[in-house]
Amino acid sequence: NAGVTQTPKFQVLKTGQSMTLQCAQDMNHEYMSWYRQDPGMGLRLIHYSVGAGITDQGEVPNGYNVSRSTTEDFPLRLLSAAPSQTSVYFCASTGTGGTDTQYFGPGTRLTVL
Amino acid sequence: GENVEQHPSTLSVQEGDSAVIKCTYSDSASNYFPWYKQELGKGPQLIIDIRSNVGEKKDQRIAVTLNKTAKHFSLHITETQPEDSAVYFCAASIRGGGNQFYFGTGTSLTVIP
């Protein structure tokens, strides 16, 4: 098992550009989430999904879109990048059926100029 | 929504001493409390968790205690080693309530050899 994978590892964007952060898991987990991590603020939930075709907003959803067409993939789209979106982004997946262990990917470090 | 507070933000201990990190939560419906360790450049990794029907859980040098009445939980690391140096995050969630984890702001632990 590769676990949770994220691409790219690093990305630099200019203000107004769009891009998609990729996330995939091979553990057949139903639950997947996107977090952003900023200094002194811990991890904040952007969007999450409880299964294919179902997504919902977290604490800080503005400026981001998600979709979940398959169980394995959960991409995060930045529609028009802003400097305030400079952050480290983590994707996570959680198993169901008796366990709540959340597995995180290695992260994407995004800089918006 | 849930609010998780974590203290201290930084902690330095001598090798072999104990380290304690404390968290409080606000939502009495939260019933699952994981702790994560994050090493530089990596995603958070679960190290121990506790559910609300248990007051204490131990795994070798790591223990977690939970006081539901006071809504606080703590991580205890005994006989600290240099490899324990990392950032530690607490979180709160409602088990079976979807996929919303609320994180503390993190504690940077340094173990001095």
Side-chain angles (χ1 to χ4, degrees):
Chain A
N1 278 357
V4 180
T5 57
Q6 291 182 240
T7 56
K9 196 166 181 62
F10 300 96
Q11 183 70 50
V12 179
L13 292 177
K14 294 182 180 178
T15 297
Q17 288 185 314
S18 63
M19 80 158 295
T20 299
L21 307 185
Q22 301 292 344
C23 174
Q25 53 91 9
D26 60 359
M27 297 173 283
N28 201 33
H29 285 171
E30 289 297 316
Y31 295 165
M32 295 186 75
S33 305
W34 275 103
Y35 295 88
R36 60 178 288 173
Q37 184 175 34
D38 302 294
M41 300 188 75
L43 291 100
R44 292 182 293 168
L45 183 65
I46 304 171
H47 285 285
Y48 66 98
S49 169
V50 298
I54 306 170
T55 64
D56 206 346
Q57 296 180 352
E59 296 174 75
V60 289
N62 292 341
Y64 307 96
N65 273 0
V66 292
S67 60
R68 186 95 179 272
S69 56
T70 67
T71 299
E72 294 77 21
D73 300 298
F74 190 43
L76 177 73
R77 280 181 289 276
L78 280 71
L79 308 173
S80 177
S84 61
Q85 294 179 304
T86 293
S87 188
V88 181
Y89 292 84
F90 288 101
C91 179
S93 72
T94 308
T96 56
T99 177
D100 293 284
T101 302
Q102 188 167 206
Y103 297 89
F104 284 84
T108 294
R109 184 173 293 274
L110 175 68
T111 301
V112 182
L113 303 175
Chain B
E2 174 66 277
N3 181 45
V4 178
E5 295 189 356
Q6 182 172 347
H7 300 280
S9 57
T10 60
L11 180 61
S12 291
V13 299
Q14 292 291 135
E15 182 177 356
D17 287 350
S18 295
V20 179
I21 302 171
K22 299 182 178 181
C23 288
T24 61
Y25 62 99
S26 61
D27 190 344
S28 57
S30 292
N31 56 13
Y32 175 65
F33 307 93
W35 285 89
Y36 297 87
K37 178 182 180 182
Q38 185 178 28
E39 297 176 335
L40 199 61
K42 297 184 178 180
Q45 186 172 17
L46 179 73
I47 55 171
I48 196 167
D49 57 12
I50 192 167
R51 293 181 168 83
S52 58
N53 58 347
V54 176
E56 184 174 359
K57 182 176 179 181
K58 190 173 181 181
D59 183 3
Q60 299 184 341
R61 297 185 297 108
I62 295 173
V64 58
T65 58
L66 171 65
N67 182 326
K68 286 188 295 182
T69 303
K71 295 196 189 73
H72 67 71
F73 55 113
S74 300
L75 177 71
H76 304 254
I77 306 174
T78 58
E79 300 172 20
T80 53
Q81 302 168 3
E83 50 265 39
D84 294 329
S85 295
V87 179
Y88 292 81
F89 291 96
C90 62
S93 176
I94 300 173
R95 186 173 180 224
N99 199 30
Q100 297 192 62
F101 287 77
Y102 296 89
F103 284 80
T105 50
T107 296
S108 178
L109 173 65
T110 301
V111 179
I112 304 166

